[in-house]
Amino acid sequence: MSSPIPLIGRIVAVSTRHPVVVVLVAILLTVVAGTYAARHFTMTANTEELISPRIEWRQRVLDFQAAFPQLEGLTMVVIEGRTPELADHAAARLTDALRSKPQLFKTVEQPQGGSFFAQNGLLLLPLAEVHATTESLTRAQPLLASLAADPSLRGVLATLSASLQGVAYGQAKLADIEPEMTALAGAFEQAADGKPAFLSWRGLLMYASTDAPDTRRVLLVKPVLNFGDLQPGRAASTAIRATARALGLDPAHGVTVRLTGPVPLADEEFGSLAQDADTLMGGMVAALLVILWLSVHSARTVIAMLITTFTGLVITAAIGLFVIGRFNLISVAFIPLFVGLGVDFTIQFSVRSRAERVTHPKLAGALIAAGSGVGPALALSAAAISVGFFSFLPTTYIGVAELGAIAGLGMIVAFVLTIVLLPALLMVLRPSGRGMAEVGFTMLAPVDAFIQRHRRTVLAAAFAAAVGSLALLPHLRFDFNPLDLKSRTVESMTTLDALAADPEWTPNAINVLAESLEAAQRLAPRLAALPEVSRTVTLATFVPTGQQEKLALIGDATRRLEPVLAVSPRTPPSDADVQEALSATATALRQAADEADDRAAAAARRLADALEKARAATPDVRAAAASAVDTPLEMLLDQIRAMLRARPITLESLPRQLVANWIAADGRARIQVLPRGSQDEAALRRFALAVQKVAPDATGAPIDTRASGDSVVRAFLEAGVYSLASITVILVLVLRRVRDVVLTLIPVMLSGLLTFATCAALDLPLNFANIIALPLLFGVGVAFNIYFVLAWRAGETAMLQSSLMRAVVFSAMTTATAFGALWLSSHPGTASMGRLLMISLGWELLVTLLVRPALLARPPSSTREQRPANAAFTMHRVARRSR
């Protein structure tokens, strides 16, 4: 009497008897699920929603964001001018233009610009710099008087000619005006050559510190974000660039406009991900098809496997949207998880069904036998992997918790479709039973024999490898810096790197909230005294000290300069007037230089040559030269006029928007703490720890980045413990023998140890991207071990020659080849995921080929329950040998 068919075998039998009905029902379910997913598809790109708000550090971040919402979700527009005047002019024009688009930009701020800083900026400088600036302006009074009366190229040349007369009369030296001659010569030469010409009057007429010229301006823009788009700020960023182009703010006009900050950084990361997505996807699909065909040598079987996987993917997506309501940037990773593990289920079933054709010539019988044989292993694997994924639900890492829920449900879907839809598709497509001379790997028979003879040696080597791996684990590091996962070549990253070196705009500042401005003023000096801190800023910083002395200096300069700056300018010159002035000034320069051979004389002759060349050129050349000279001159004169109107600054007189950026609506005051010196990872960690000792509630990138990394690592460790415990419980309930449970888990732990040890030895850190691959690797390892232990319990001893080994090897190759292609990505985070997958699957295959067979070399102590299965396995081996 034949033994009864197990439950899964009976399910497969029903599917094989009614294949058309099953396929039609599957098509209907796919259409319904696809329609639901398309209509309800929602994806949030908001990374702040990935970690639970219940965590203490997240609560501090949310508290700061609630206090100063205008400082979150910003785009930093970094404007670089060839001269300070160009930078100022560009920043003012772009600010006005962006403010006229409220549908795209909530706020547009110029933190160090605007009328307040134009009028009172001088008061914010140290007293010594105020004295030097006012003194230089007072000395330049004669020049300013002449230039203000005629702020054109004609007036500039007339002023220069007057200075040359002073040289001729011995009242001045030619060297005194060498800087002006050199600067003018450079501008005229550039214009004559048809190149952009730029001139800065600020450095010529005003005090200039020894620091590099201040040619950078930054706008803080709060764009309207569309979190339904993978690049939420794309529309706003596109509008900023288009507006800058329309205003002529480009390198040809001496200005560059670049974007960085949280919004462009996130947007451009997805842009770089998509950059080579088509190539990677094509390579992955091609590799998947080739490996699947090699596993079964049947195009029809491959088609059935792909249809089953695609159907499961659509249904899982619909279930995920129904249960969770949306996808996030991490939960969308259920797609590769489902493909990797779902394909494994279909390979196991398909390879086993082809192996059963040896003893079951009819396709239906082979499918039923495959379901009866491999079905329990698939069911146990699906249950164990699902529970493992569900173990992420209690963690505070919401992104991975939602991934665990969707992927866990997906494993159930994958199992059901493997035993229901796949057999029906195979019955409809009718793949040939011929074409595979061997379903196992008979060529590995010598390896099987070697492992049998040297079992203890292999296990000792595995134990030594595990001990060595444990020794390396302390060297495994986690890269907490999410910026390391981004492409360093995109605009947002190159701009951020430039800002990181700027002490005024470093992204590594820390913010502290004090109960009031008075409390902030008491706390700020304690923070500023820390050796890791360069300085602190509060609202009180904008009320400068020594105002009486500074205003006295400015008042003296005003009394001397205001009358000459208030005159009405002459009518703009004609081109003929300019030509005449060029000729006269060139003559005066040559006379002043005479036969001298010093630097000043050389500068005079150089400028004379440039002026004569401009006189002989076309009107367009002279117009370009005039624009390079008189446009920044007019800007400087306006800035000086504003500067001389400085008035005493008090807290009450500060601009409302400036106050709002430092004092919250509830009265709490913000302290900004800036780091000193190097800003590498170790220095920033010392900086963060030092600040937190004084202000435990501080927030900011150096603190939040590490805290988020700690939360992610903690979430994965918790999920790992929950997964191990829950899977162990399931294995104990099903296998009912402690030894078998241990034999199932040891290879998973060994391959995991070897993977982490390799990462430590090669200094390949875990990060926010590749850590997401760990659930896939864990799921694959658990599934493989369950397959082998159940086969071993059923009486299989020649593991390497079995159809199971073929299925496992090709399943691992499919996952490794398909997802290992991520290694080739230009995106660092994606490439790191590919590296980790390849390393882990490489060790998984090695453990599969050597360690698992050694662990299972001895038959189970009791085989009474497995005798019927033993007979089936014996028939397979006899059939293989007869071939």
Side-chain angles (χ1 to χ4, degrees), residues 37 41 58 82 148 189 203 213 221 243 246 294 317 352 555 609 725 732 788 799 817 827 866:
F41 180 83
R58 277 290 294 156
R82 291 285 296 272
E189 288 167 351
V221 178
T243 303
L294 290 174
R352 182 60 180 267
D609 291 340
V732 169
F788 277 102
M799 291 291 182
T817 305
H827 183 264
Q866 287 78 32

Side-chain angles (χ1 to χ4, degrees), residues 3-10 12 348-349 351-353 355-356 360 365-381 415 419 786-796 803-804 868-870 872-873 876:
S3 60
I5 300 176
L7 173 62
I8 295 177
R10 294 199 298 272
V12 174
Q348 295 293 334
F349 187 92
V351 171
R352 182 60 180 267
S353 68
E356 295 290 348
H360 298 83
L367 294 174
I368 294 170
S372 301
V374 78
L378 293 178
L380 181 55
S381 296
F415 168 69
I419 63 172
I786 289 174
Y787 300 151
F788 277 102
V789 168
L790 290 186
W792 171 71
R793 284 164 62 103
E796 179 65 80
S803 61
L804 172 61
N870 286 349
F873 275 106
H876 283 298

Side-chain angles (χ1 to χ4, degrees), residues 433-448:
R434 301 183 301 274
M436 292 183 66
E438 179 54 61
V439 292
F441 291 128
T442 53
M443 61 182 178
L444 295 180
V447 181
D448 252 337

